[in-house]
């Protein structure tokens, strides 16, 4: 069965392409290389042994979707990854985020309906929970006002999907709320390559160890946690990718024509920033140059997922550890070689 993967050359998208093929699906990739490189297709070819079907196109372009749905007959589902995702940039350029992240979903929904597509997996985020009142955070927790335009686009997209299904559209939709995806494919053929200075912790850690950055700033050590640094639920991107395969299989297995549900994708285990630094030093054998810096505005103190619903609904749970993810991220970083920019 063909599955359209928007953002197919992106970080989570590319890893999901690999797992889809392993599970017997035929991914069709769509990306405009806004935040990824054409070389990802080479990495995928090396892993898969063939070059996956690819369309260079913008998801805001409804005509592009319509053309793909027409050319690739029998697409059985869509996994919609494509979106802008830099939290800080979204504060500076909110309209860019609203236009792109919401516009692309609308283009997809309008054209997918006409093409008779009935299964859709959407990339959502744990940011919808804000600072939760209790931990672990489960799917019944309320959605809190978003801390950034980026986070708000994820909330609005979830609402759009809920409303589309409630209106009677024949769509089975699952929103997957990611916690902190990190790592790389164990082959080191694909991984995370943020453009410019990374905003996220693990890319910054591995780039510092590789000499691309001089020093990691740990944002705040006066939080109400054991070592004073923030706690997150870091999850290996390959585990996240496998959950998308389970999500498509789950939607395919359903008899009802319309369905909307949402599931957390996390490990259930929280790690502090200093625990990540220590684990990285252990798996890489590198001493990391870091300093304690001011808190970063907008950071929640601690969050980690309840994994019960994902296990119950999808029959999925994580298999890989924080150490696995950091070792794979480091292997990928080393393969990138000297700094390119
Ligand atoms: C993790 C921790 C930082 C960089 C994630 C996603 C993001 C979004 C929301 C996804 C925090 C600390 C970081 C650094 C540091 N949505 N840190 N020094 O903020 O949890 O955001 O969820 O859908 O895209 O990544 O992730 O990796 O930025 O930060 O000390 O240089 O690391 O303060 O405690 P975050 P992150």
């Amino acid at each position: 069965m063909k599955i359209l993967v928007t953002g197919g050359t992106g970080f989570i998208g590319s890893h999901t392409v690999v797992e889809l093929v392993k599970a017997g699906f035929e991914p069709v990739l769509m990306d405009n290389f806004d935040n990824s490189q054409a070389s990802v297709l080479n990495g995928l070819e090396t892993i898969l042994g063939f070059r996956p079907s690819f369309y260079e196109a913008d998801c805001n372009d409804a005509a592009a979707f319509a053309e793909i749905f027409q050319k690739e007959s029998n697409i059985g589902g869509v996994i919609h990854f494509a979106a802008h995702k830099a939290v800080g940039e979204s504060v500076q350029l909110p309209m860019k985020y609203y236009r792109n992240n919401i516009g692309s979903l609308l283009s997809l929904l309008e054209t997918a309906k006409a093409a008779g597509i009935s299964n859709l997996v959407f990339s959502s985020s744990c940011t919808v929970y804000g600072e939760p009142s209790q931990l672990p955070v489960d799917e019944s927790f309320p959605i809190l006002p978003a801390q950034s335009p980026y986070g708000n686009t994820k909330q609005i997209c979830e609402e759009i999907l809920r409303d589309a299904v409630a209106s009677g559209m024949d769509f089975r939709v699952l929103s997957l709320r990611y916690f902190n995806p990190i790592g790389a494919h164990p082959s080191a053929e694909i991984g995370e390559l943020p453009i410019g200075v990374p905003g996220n912790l693990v890319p910054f850690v591995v780039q510092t160890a590789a000499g691309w950055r001089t020093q990691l700033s740990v944002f705040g050590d006066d939080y109400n946690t054991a070592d004073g640094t923030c706690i997150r639920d870091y999850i290996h991107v390959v585990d996240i990718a496998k959950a998308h395969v389970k999500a498509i299989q789950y939607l395919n297995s359903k008899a009802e024509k319309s369905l909307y549900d949402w599931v957390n994708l996390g490990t259930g285990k929280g790690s502090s920033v200093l625990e990540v630094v220590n684990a990285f030093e252990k798996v890489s054998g590198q001493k990391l140059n870091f300093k304690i810096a001011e808190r970063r505005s907008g950071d929640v103190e601690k969050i980690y997922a309840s994994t019960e619903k994902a296990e119950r609904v999808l029959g999925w749970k994580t298999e890989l550890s924080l150490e696995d993810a950091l070792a794979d991220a480091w292997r990928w970083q080393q393969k990138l070689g000297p700094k390119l920019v």
Side-chain angles (χ1 to χ4, degrees), residues 3-10 13-14 28-31 59 65 69 78-83 104 108 120-121 123:
I3 305 293
L4 178 64
V5 183
T6 76
T9 51
S14 58
V28 175
L29 285 63
M30 175 177 183
D31 208 302
C59 293
F65 270 122
F69 289 135
V78 179
I79 307 181
H80 183 46
F81 290 107
S104 62
L108 168 59
L120 172 60
V121 177
S123 298

mmCIF file with all atom_site columns, all heavy atoms in Angstrom, residues 3-10 13-14 28-31 59 65 69 78-83 104 108 120-121 123:
data_model
loop_
_atom_site.group_PDB
_atom_site.id
_atom_site.type_symbol
_atom_site.label_atom_id
_atom_site.label_alt_id
_atom_site.label_comp_id
_atom_site.label_asym_id
_atom_site.label_entity_id
_atom_site.label_seq_id
_atom_site.pdbx_PDB_ins_code
_atom_site.Cartn_x
_atom_site.Cartn_y
_atom_site.Cartn_z
_atom_site.occupancy
_atom_site.B_iso_or_equiv
_atom_site.pdbx_formal_charge
_atom_site.auth_seq_id
_atom_site.auth_comp_id
_atom_site.auth_asym_id
_atom_site.auth_atom_id
_atom_site.pdbx_PDB_model_num
ATOM 1   N N   . ILE A 1 3   ? 1.849  5.035  0.810  1.00 0.00 ? 3   ILE A N   1
ATOM 2   C CA  . ILE A 1 3   ? 1.598  6.029  1.850  1.00 0.00 ? 3   ILE A CA  1
ATOM 3   C C   . ILE A 1 3   ? 2.318  7.310  1.449  1.00 0.00 ? 3   ILE A C   1
ATOM 4   O O   . ILE A 1 3   ? 3.537  7.301  1.229  1.00 0.00 ? 3   ILE A O   1
ATOM 5   C CB  . ILE A 1 3   ? 2.142  5.559  3.223  1.00 0.00 ? 3   ILE A CB  1
ATOM 6   C CG1 . ILE A 1 3   ? 1.566  4.177  3.632  1.00 0.00 ? 3   ILE A CG1 1
ATOM 7   C CG2 . ILE A 1 3   ? 1.881  6.620  4.295  1.00 0.00 ? 3   ILE A CG2 1
ATOM 8   C CD1 . ILE A 1 3   ? 0.084  4.155  3.916  1.00 0.00 ? 3   ILE A CD1 1
ATOM 9   N N   . LEU A 1 4   ? 1.575  8.415  1.338  1.00 0.00 ? 4   LEU A N   1
ATOM 10  C CA  . LEU A 1 4   ? 2.215  9.703  1.049  1.00 0.00 ? 4   LEU A CA  1
ATOM 11  C C   . LEU A 1 4   ? 2.827  10.245 2.335  1.00 0.00 ? 4   LEU A C   1
ATOM 12  O O   . LEU A 1 4   ? 2.136  10.352 3.359  1.00 0.00 ? 4   LEU A O   1
ATOM 13  C CB  . LEU A 1 4   ? 1.190  10.699 0.489  1.00 0.00 ? 4   LEU A CB  1
ATOM 14  C CG  . LEU A 1 4   ? 1.743  12.100 0.197  1.00 0.00 ? 4   LEU A CG  1
ATOM 15  C CD1 . LEU A 1 4   ? 2.817  12.057 -0.902 1.00 0.00 ? 4   LEU A CD1 1
ATOM 16  C CD2 . LEU A 1 4   ? 0.625  13.064 -0.197 1.00 0.00 ? 4   LEU A CD2 1
ATOM 17  N N   . VAL A 1 5   ? 4.120  10.573 2.270  1.00 0.00 ? 5   VAL A N   1
ATOM 18  C CA  . VAL A 1 5   ? 4.828  11.105 3.438  1.00 0.00 ? 5   VAL A CA  1
ATOM 19  C C   . VAL A 1 5   ? 5.239  12.537 3.114  1.00 0.00 ? 5   VAL A C   1
ATOM 20  O O   . VAL A 1 5   ? 6.204  12.761 2.373  1.00 0.00 ? 5   VAL A O   1
ATOM 21  C CB  . VAL A 1 5   ? 6.073  10.248 3.771  1.00 0.00 ? 5   VAL A CB  1
ATOM 22  C CG1 . VAL A 1 5   ? 6.753  10.775 5.033  1.00 0.00 ? 5   VAL A CG1 1
ATOM 23  C CG2 . VAL A 1 5   ? 5.697  8.787  3.954  1.00 0.00 ? 5   VAL A CG2 1
ATOM 24  N N   . THR A 1 6   ? 4.493  13.513 3.643  1.00 0.00 ? 6   THR A N   1
ATOM 25  C CA  . THR A 1 6   ? 4.909  14.906 3.424  1.00 0.00 ? 6   THR A CA  1
ATOM 26  C C   . THR A 1 6   ? 6.039  15.206 4.404  1.00 0.00 ? 6   THR A C   1
ATOM 27  O O   . THR A 1 6   ? 6.058  14.680 5.522  1.00 0.00 ? 6   THR A O   1
ATOM 28  C CB  . THR A 1 6   ? 3.746  15.902 3.632  1.00 0.00 ? 6   THR A CB  1
ATOM 29  O OG1 . THR A 1 6   ? 3.518  16.056 5.043  1.00 0.00 ? 6   THR A OG1 1
ATOM 30  C CG2 . THR A 1 6   ? 2.468  15.463 2.932  1.00 0.00 ? 6   THR A CG2 1
ATOM 31  N N   . GLY A 1 7   ? 6.980  16.034 3.969  1.00 0.00 ? 7   GLY A N   1
ATOM 32  C CA  . GLY A 1 7   ? 8.171  16.229 4.800  1.00 0.00 ? 7   GLY A CA  1
ATOM 33  C C   . GLY A 1 7   ? 8.996  14.951 4.829  1.00 0.00 ? 7   GLY A C   1
ATOM 34  O O   . GLY A 1 7   ? 9.671  14.652 5.818  1.00 0.00 ? 7   GLY A O   1
ATOM 35  N N   . GLY A 1 8   ? 8.988  14.226 3.739  1.00 0.00 ? 8   GLY A N   1
ATOM 36  C CA  . GLY A 1 8   ? 9.601  12.896 3.684  1.00 0.00 ? 8   GLY A CA  1
ATOM 37  C C   . GLY A 1 8   ? 11.115 12.903 3.757  1.00 0.00 ? 8   GLY A C   1
ATOM 38  O O   . GLY A 1 8   ? 11.722 11.863 4.029  1.00 0.00 ? 8   GLY A O   1
ATOM 39  N N   . THR A 1 9   ? 11.750 14.067 3.484  1.00 0.00 ? 9   THR A N   1
ATOM 40  C CA  . THR A 1 9   ? 13.206 14.123 3.630  1.00 0.00 ? 9   THR A CA  1
ATOM 41  C C   . THR A 1 9   ? 13.609 14.815 4.938  1.00 0.00 ? 9   THR A C   1
ATOM 42  O O   . THR A 1 9   ? 14.792 15.067 5.171  1.00 0.00 ? 9   THR A O   1
ATOM 43  C CB  . THR A 1 9   ? 13.880 14.835 2.424  1.00 0.00 ? 9   THR A CB  1
ATOM 44  O OG1 . THR A 1 9   ? 13.234 16.097 2.212  1.00 0.00 ? 9   THR A OG1 1
ATOM 45  C CG2 . THR A 1 9   ? 13.765 13.986 1.172  1.00 0.00 ? 9   THR A CG2 1
ATOM 46  N N   . GLY A 1 10  ? 12.634 15.128 5.763  1.00 0.00 ? 10  GLY A N   1
ATOM 47  C CA  . GLY A 1 10  ? 12.936 15.733 7.063  1.00 0.00 ? 10  GLY A CA  1
ATOM 48  C C   . GLY A 1 10  ? 13.414 14.698 8.077  1.00 0.00 ? 10  GLY A C   1
ATOM 49  O O   . GLY A 1 10  ? 13.548 13.510 7.755  1.00 0.00 ? 10  GLY A O   1
ATOM 50  N N   . GLY A 1 13  ? 10.448 12.336 9.179  1.00 0.00 ? 13  GLY A N   1
ATOM 51  C CA  . GLY A 1 13  ? 9.901  11.793 7.935  1.00 0.00 ? 13  GLY A CA  1
ATOM 52  C C   . GLY A 1 13  ? 10.823 10.760 7.302  1.00 0.00 ? 13  GLY A C   1
ATOM 53  O O   . GLY A 1 13  ? 10.380 9.677  6.908  1.00 0.00 ? 13  GLY A O   1
ATOM 54  N N   . SER A 1 14  ? 12.111 11.083 7.211  1.00 0.00 ? 14  SER A N   1
ATOM 55  C CA  . SER A 1 14  ? 13.029 10.163 6.522  1.00 0.00 ? 14  SER A CA  1
ATOM 56  C C   . SER A 1 14  ? 13.153 8.841  7.289  1.00 0.00 ? 14  SER A C   1
ATOM 57  O O   . SER A 1 14  ? 13.198 7.762  6.685  1.00 0.00 ? 14  SER A O   1
ATOM 58  C CB  . SER A 1 14  ? 14.402 10.818 6.340  1.00 0.00 ? 14  SER A CB  1
ATOM 59  O OG  . SER A 1 14  ? 14.954 11.203 7.586  1.00 0.00 ? 14  SER A OG  1
ATOM 60  N N   . VAL A 1 28  ? 5.606  7.293  -0.643 1.00 0.00 ? 28  VAL A N   1
ATOM 61  C CA  . VAL A 1 28  ? 5.759  8.290  -1.710 1.00 0.00 ? 28  VAL A CA  1
ATOM 62  C C   . VAL A 1 28  ? 6.097  9.584  -0.993 1.00 0.00 ? 28  VAL A C   1
ATOM 63  O O   . VAL A 1 28  ? 5.323  10.044 -0.144 1.00 0.00 ? 28  VAL A O   1
ATOM 64  C CB  . VAL A 1 28  ? 4.441  8.445  -2.503 1.00 0.00 ? 28  VAL A CB  1
ATOM 65  C CG1 . VAL A 1 28  ? 4.571  9.572  -3.516 1.00 0.00 ? 28  VAL A CG1 1
ATOM 66  C CG2 . VAL A 1 28  ? 4.056  7.128  -3.156 1.00 0.00 ? 28  VAL A CG2 1
ATOM 67  N N   . LEU A 1 29  ? 7.271  10.144 -1.282 1.00 0.00 ? 29  LEU A N   1
ATOM 68  C CA  . LEU A 1 29  ? 7.759  11.282 -0.501 1.00 0.00 ? 29  LEU A CA  1
ATOM 69  C C   . LEU A 1 29  ? 7.432  12.605 -1.186 1.00 0.00 ? 29  LEU A C   1
ATOM 70  O O   . LEU A 1 29  ? 7.484  12.708 -2.422 1.00 0.00 ? 29  LEU A O   1
ATOM 71  C CB  . LEU A 1 29  ? 9.280  11.214 -0.315 1.00 0.00 ? 29  LEU A CB  1
ATOM 72  C CG  . LEU A 1 29  ? 9.832  10.202 0.672  1.00 0.00 ? 29  LEU A CG  1
ATOM 73  C CD1 . LEU A 1 29  ? 9.533  8.772  0.271  1.00 0.00 ? 29  LEU A CD1 1
ATOM 74  C CD2 . LEU A 1 29  ? 11.336 10.383 0.833  1.00 0.00 ? 29  LEU A CD2 1
ATOM 75  N N   . MET A 1 30  ? 7.129  13.592 -0.357 1.00 0.00 ? 30  MET A N   1
ATOM 76  C CA  . MET A 1 30  ? 6.880  14.950 -0.860 1.00 0.00 ? 30  MET A CA  1
ATOM 77  C C   . MET A 1 30  ? 7.632  15.893 0.067  1.00 0.00 ? 30  MET A C   1
ATOM 78  O O   . MET A 1 30  ? 7.517  15.788 1.286  1.00 0.00 ? 30  MET A O   1
ATOM 79  C CB  . MET A 1 30  ? 5.380  15.217 -0.800 1.00 0.00 ? 30  MET A CB  1
ATOM 80  C CG  . MET A 1 30  ? 4.946  16.608 -1.173 1.00 0.00 ? 30  MET A CG  1
ATOM 81  S SD  . MET A 1 30  ? 3.121  16.649 -1.096 1.00 0.00 ? 30  MET A SD  1
ATOM 82  C CE  . MET A 1 30  ? 2.800  18.311 -1.657 1.00 0.00 ? 30  MET A CE  1
ATOM 83  N N   . ASP A 1 31  ? 8.423  16.791 -0.494 1.00 0.00 ? 31  ASP A N   1
ATOM 84  C CA  . ASP A 1 31  ? 9.155  17.762 0.334  1.00 0.00 ? 31  ASP A CA  1
ATOM 85  C C   . ASP A 1 31  ? 9.579  18.911 -0.575 1.00 0.00 ? 31  ASP A C   1
ATOM 86  O O   . ASP A 1 31  ? 9.812  18.715 -1.767 1.00 0.00 ? 31  ASP A O   1
ATOM 87  C CB  . ASP A 1 31  ? 10.395 17.110 0.969  1.00 0.00 ? 31  ASP A CB  1
ATOM 88  C CG  . ASP A 1 31  ? 10.791 17.755 2.291  1.00 0.00 ? 31  ASP A CG  1
ATOM 89  O OD1 . ASP A 1 31  ? 11.040 18.988 2.296  1.00 0.00 ? 31  ASP A OD1 1
ATOM 90  O OD2 . ASP A 1 31  ? 10.838 17.053 3.312  1.00 0.00 ? 31  ASP A OD2 1
ATOM 91  N N   . CYS A 1 59  ? 3.738  21.860 0.274  1.00 0.00 ? 59  CYS A N   1
ATOM 92  C CA  . CYS A 1 59  ? 2.434  21.369 0.733  1.00 0.00 ? 59  CYS A CA  1
ATOM 93  C C   . CYS A 1 59  ? 1.360  22.453 0.772  1.00 0.00 ? 59  CYS A C   1
ATOM 94  O O   . CYS A 1 59  ? 0.179  22.146 0.929  1.00 0.00 ? 59  CYS A O   1
ATOM 95  C CB  . CYS A 1 59  ? 2.563  20.747 2.125  1.00 0.00 ? 59  CYS A CB  1
ATOM 96  S SG  . CYS A 1 59  ? 3.526  19.255 2.128  1.00 0.00 ? 59  CYS A SG  1
ATOM 97  N N   . PHE A 1 65  ? -0.578 18.644 -4.470 1.00 0.00 ? 65  PHE A N   1
ATOM 98  C CA  . PHE A 1 65  ? -1.194 17.467 -3.826 1.00 0.00 ? 65  PHE A CA  1
ATOM 99  C C   . PHE A 1 65  ? -2.097 16.738 -4.827 1.00 0.00 ? 65  PHE A C   1
ATOM 100 O O   . PHE A 1 65  ? -2.041 15.514 -4.960 1.00 0.00 ? 65  PHE A O   1
ATOM 101 C CB  . PHE A 1 65  ? -2.054 17.882 -2.628 1.00 0.00 ? 65  PHE A CB  1
ATOM 102 C CG  . PHE A 1 65  ? -1.323 17.939 -1.317 1.00 0.00 ? 65  PHE A CG  1
ATOM 103 C CD1 . PHE A 1 65  ? -1.290 19.103 -0.578 1.00 0.00 ? 65  PHE A CD1 1
ATOM 104 C CD2 . PHE A 1 65  ? -0.700 16.806 -0.799 1.00 0.00 ? 65  PHE A CD2 1
ATOM 105 C CE1 . PHE A 1 65  ? -0.634 19.160 0.647  1.00 0.00 ? 65  PHE A CE1 1
ATOM 106 C CE2 . PHE A 1 65  ? -0.046 16.847 0.428  1.00 0.00 ? 65  PHE A CE2 1
ATOM 107 C CZ  . PHE A 1 65  ? -0.017 18.031 1.145  1.00 0.00 ? 65  PHE A CZ  1
ATOM 108 N N   . PHE A 1 69  ? -1.817 12.874 -5.997 1.00 0.00 ? 69  PHE A N   1
ATOM 109 C CA  . PHE A 1 69  ? -2.896 11.898 -5.781 1.00 0.00 ? 69  PHE A CA  1
ATOM 110 C C   . PHE A 1 69  ? -3.369 11.297 -7.108 1.00 0.00 ? 69  PHE A C   1
ATOM 111 O O   . PHE A 1 69  ? -3.777 10.142 -7.167 1.00 0.00 ? 69  PHE A O   1
ATOM 112 C CB  . PHE A 1 69  ? -4.068 12.547 -5.038 1.00 0.00 ? 69  PHE A CB  1
ATOM 113 C CG  . PHE A 1 69  ? -3.774 12.844 -3.588 1.00 0.00 ? 69  PHE A CG  1
ATOM 114 C CD1 . PHE A 1 69  ? -4.129 14.062 -3.019 1.00 0.00 ? 69  PHE A CD1 1
ATOM 115 C CD2 . PHE A 1 69  ? -3.137 11.909 -2.779 1.00 0.00 ? 69  PHE A CD2 1
ATOM 116 C CE1 . PHE A 1 69  ? -3.854 14.338 -1.683 1.00 0.00 ? 69  PHE A CE1 1
ATOM 117 C CE2 . PHE A 1 69  ? -2.862 12.177 -1.447 1.00 0.00 ? 69  PHE A CE2 1
ATOM 118 C CZ  . PHE A 1 69  ? -3.219 13.399 -0.895 1.00 0.00 ? 69  PHE A CZ  1
ATOM 119 N N   . VAL A 1 78  ? -1.963 9.069  4.403  1.00 0.00 ? 78  VAL A N   1
ATOM 120 C CA  . VAL A 1 78  ? -1.004 10.172 4.374  1.00 0.00 ? 78  VAL A CA  1
ATOM 121 C C   . VAL A 1 78  ? -0.435 10.356 5.776  1.00 0.00 ? 78  VAL A C   1
ATOM 122 O O   . VAL A 1 78  ? -1.180 10.299 6.763  1.00 0.00 ? 78  VAL A O   1
ATOM 123 C CB  . VAL A 1 78  ? -1.682 11.493 3.933  1.00 0.00 ? 78  VAL A CB  1
ATOM 124 C CG1 . VAL A 1 78  ? -0.674 12.640 3.927  1.00 0.00 ? 78  VAL A CG1 1
ATOM 125 C CG2 . VAL A 1 78  ? -2.334 11.344 2.566  1.00 0.00 ? 78  VAL A CG2 1
ATOM 126 N N   . ILE A 1 79  ? 0.883  10.533 5.847  1.00 0.00 ? 79  ILE A N   1
ATOM 127 C CA  . ILE A 1 79  ? 1.503  10.960 7.110  1.00 0.00 ? 79  ILE A CA  1
ATOM 128 C C   . ILE A 1 79  ? 2.022  12.372 6.860  1.00 0.00 ? 79  ILE A C   1
ATOM 129 O O   . ILE A 1 79  ? 2.878  12.592 5.996  1.00 0.00 ? 79  ILE A O   1
ATOM 130 C CB  . ILE A 1 79  ? 2.652  10.018 7.533  1.00 0.00 ? 79  ILE A CB  1
ATOM 131 C CG1 . ILE A 1 79  ? 2.176  8.562  7.555  1.00 0.00 ? 79  ILE A CG1 1
ATOM 132 C CG2 . ILE A 1 79  ? 3.165  10.432 8.919  1.00 0.00 ? 79  ILE A CG2 1
ATOM 133 C CD1 . ILE A 1 79  ? 3.239  7.549  7.998  1.00 0.00 ? 79  ILE A CD1 1
ATOM 134 N N   . HIS A 1 80  ? 1.441  13.316 7.602  1.00 0.00 ? 80  HIS A N   1
ATOM 135 C CA  . HIS A 1 80  ? 1.727  14.733 7.308  1.00 0.00 ? 80  HIS A CA  1
ATOM 136 C C   . HIS A 1 80  ? 2.735  15.293 8.318  1.00 0.00 ? 80  HIS A C   1
ATOM 137 O O   . HIS A 1 80  ? 2.372  15.778 9.379  1.00 0.00 ? 80  HIS A O   1
ATOM 138 C CB  . HIS A 1 80  ? 0.421  15.523 7.351  1.00 0.00 ? 80  HIS A CB  1
ATOM 139 C CG  . HIS A 1 80  ? 0.581  16.962 6.991  1.00 0.00 ? 80  HIS A CG  1
ATOM 140 N ND1 . HIS A 1 80  ? 1.313  17.389 5.901  1.00 0.00 ? 80  HIS A ND1 1
ATOM 141 C CD2 . HIS A 1 80  ? 0.104  18.093 7.583  1.00 0.00 ? 80  HIS A CD2 1
ATOM 142 C CE1 . HIS A 1 80  ? 1.282  18.704 5.837  1.00 0.00 ? 80  HIS A CE1 1
ATOM 143 N NE2 . HIS A 1 80  ? 0.565  19.157 6.857  1.00 0.00 ? 80  HIS A NE2 1
ATOM 144 N N   . PHE A 1 81  ? 4.016  15.218 7.927  1.00 0.00 ? 81  PHE A N   1
ATOM 145 C CA  . PHE A 1 81  ? 5.086  15.767 8.766  1.00 0.00 ? 81  PHE A CA  1
ATOM 146 C C   . PHE A 1 81  ? 5.389  17.226 8.437  1.00 0.00 ? 81  PHE A C   1
ATOM 147 O O   . PHE A 1 81  ? 5.855  17.964 9.296  1.00 0.00 ? 81  PHE A O   1
ATOM 148 C CB  . PHE A 1 81  ? 6.391  14.996 8.530  1.00 0.00 ? 81  PHE A CB  1
ATOM 149 C CG  . PHE A 1 81  ? 6.414  13.591 9.052  1.00 0.00 ? 81  PHE A CG  1
ATOM 150 C CD1 . PHE A 1 81  ? 6.349  12.512 8.190  1.00 0.00 ? 81  PHE A CD1 1
ATOM 151 C CD2 . PHE A 1 81  ? 6.523  13.343 10.416 1.00 0.00 ? 81  PHE A CD2 1
ATOM 152 C CE1 . PHE A 1 81  ? 6.396  11.207 8.660  1.00 0.00 ? 81  PHE A CE1 1
ATOM 153 C CE2 . PHE A 1 81  ? 6.573  12.042 10.897 1.00 0.00 ? 81  PHE A CE2 1
ATOM 154 C CZ  . PHE A 1 81  ? 6.510  10.977 10.017 1.00 0.00 ? 81  PHE A CZ  1
ATOM 155 N N   . ALA A 1 82  ? 5.220  17.583 7.157  1.00 0.00 ? 82  ALA A N   1
ATOM 156 C CA  . ALA A 1 82  ? 5.777  18.855 6.671  1.00 0.00 ? 82  ALA A CA  1
ATOM 157 C C   . ALA A 1 82  ? 5.267  20.042 7.477  1.00 0.00 ? 82  ALA A C   1
ATOM 158 O O   . ALA A 1 82  ? 4.054  20.256 7.567  1.00 0.00 ? 82  ALA A O   1
ATOM 159 C CB  . ALA A 1 82  ? 5.407  19.034 5.203  1.00 0.00 ? 82  ALA A CB  1
ATOM 160 N N   . ALA A 1 83  ? 6.186  20.775 8.085  1.00 0.00 ? 83  ALA A N   1
ATOM 161 C CA  . ALA A 1 83  ? 5.817  21.977 8.842  1.00 0.00 ? 83  ALA A CA  1
ATOM 162 C C   . ALA A 1 83  ? 7.088  22.718 9.235  1.00 0.00 ? 83  ALA A C   1
ATOM 163 O O   . ALA A 1 83  ? 8.155  22.114 9.336  1.00 0.00 ? 83  ALA A O   1
ATOM 164 C CB  . ALA A 1 83  ? 5.050  21.610 10.111 1.00 0.00 ? 83  ALA A CB  1
ATOM 165 N N   . SER A 1 104 ? -0.848 24.361 4.797  1.00 0.00 ? 104 SER A N   1
ATOM 166 C CA  . SER A 1 104 ? -0.509 23.070 4.185  1.00 0.00 ? 104 SER A CA  1
ATOM 167 C C   . SER A 1 104 ? -1.505 21.992 4.610  1.00 0.00 ? 104 SER A C   1
ATOM 168 O O   . SER A 1 104 ? -1.899 21.144 3.812  1.00 0.00 ? 104 SER A O   1
ATOM 169 C CB  . SER A 1 104 ? 0.920  22.662 4.527  1.00 0.00 ? 104 SER A CB  1
ATOM 170 O OG  . SER A 1 104 ? 1.066  22.496 5.913  1.00 0.00 ? 104 SER A OG  1
ATOM 171 N N   . LEU A 1 108 ? -3.971 19.888 2.095  1.00 0.00 ? 108 LEU A N   1
ATOM 172 C CA  . LEU A 1 108 ? -3.988 18.418 2.143  1.00 0.00 ? 108 LEU A CA  1
ATOM 173 C C   . LEU A 1 108 ? -5.413 17.902 2.332  1.00 0.00 ? 108 LEU A C   1
ATOM 174 O O   . LEU A 1 108 ? -5.871 17.008 1.616  1.00 0.00 ? 108 LEU A O   1
ATOM 175 C CB  . LEU A 1 108 ? -3.076 17.928 3.278  1.00 0.00 ? 108 LEU A CB  1
ATOM 176 C CG  . LEU A 1 108 ? -3.187 16.457 3.654  1.00 0.00 ? 108 LEU A CG  1
ATOM 177 C CD1 . LEU A 1 108 ? -2.877 15.558 2.458  1.00 0.00 ? 108 LEU A CD1 1
ATOM 178 C CD2 . LEU A 1 108 ? -2.247 16.112 4.801  1.00 0.00 ? 108 LEU A CD2 1
ATOM 179 N N   . LEU A 1 120 ? -5.237 9.445  7.852  1.00 0.00 ? 120 LEU A N   1
ATOM 180 C CA  . LEU A 1 120 ? -4.276 10.541 7.985  1.00 0.00 ? 120 LEU A CA  1
ATOM 181 C C   . LEU A 1 120 ? -3.630 10.509 9.362  1.00 0.00 ? 120 LEU A C   1
ATOM 182 O O   . LEU A 1 120 ? -4.325 10.451 10.387 1.00 0.00 ? 120 LEU A O   1
ATOM 183 C CB  . LEU A 1 120 ? -5.007 11.880 7.780  1.00 0.00 ? 120 LEU A CB  1
ATOM 184 C CG  . LEU A 1 120 ? -4.236 13.158 8.048  1.00 0.00 ? 120 LEU A CG  1
ATOM 185 C CD1 . LEU A 1 120 ? -3.009 13.265 7.147  1.00 0.00 ? 120 LEU A CD1 1
ATOM 186 C CD2 . LEU A 1 120 ? -5.136 14.365 7.806  1.00 0.00 ? 120 LEU A CD2 1
ATOM 187 N N   . VAL A 1 121 ? -2.306 10.540 9.372  1.00 0.00 ? 121 VAL A N   1
ATOM 188 C CA  . VAL A 1 121 ? -1.552 10.635 10.630 1.00 0.00 ? 121 VAL A CA  1
ATOM 189 C C   . VAL A 1 121 ? -0.918 12.013 10.661 1.00 0.00 ? 121 VAL A C   1
ATOM 190 O O   . VAL A 1 121 ? -0.263 12.431 9.698  1.00 0.00 ? 121 VAL A O   1
ATOM 191 C CB  . VAL A 1 121 ? -0.460 9.538  10.702 1.00 0.00 ? 121 VAL A CB  1
ATOM 192 C CG1 . VAL A 1 121 ? 0.370  9.691  11.973 1.00 0.00 ? 121 VAL A CG1 1
ATOM 193 C CG2 . VAL A 1 121 ? -1.102 8.154  10.649 1.00 0.00 ? 121 VAL A CG2 1
ATOM 194 N N   . SER A 1 123 ? 1.443  15.018 12.643 1.00 0.00 ? 123 SER A N   1
ATOM 195 C CA  . SER A 1 123 ? 2.532  15.277 13.589 1.00 0.00 ? 123 SER A CA  1
ATOM 196 C C   . SER A 1 123 ? 2.140  16.388 14.539 1.00 0.00 ? 123 SER A C   1
ATOM 197 O O   . SER A 1 123 ? 2.140  17.552 14.164 1.00 0.00 ? 123 SER A O   1
ATOM 198 C CB  . SER A 1 123 ? 3.772  15.802 12.854 1.00 0.00 ? 123 SER A CB  1
ATOM 199 O OG  . SER A 1 123 ? 4.256  14.876 11.964 1.00 0.00 ? 123 SER A OG  1
#
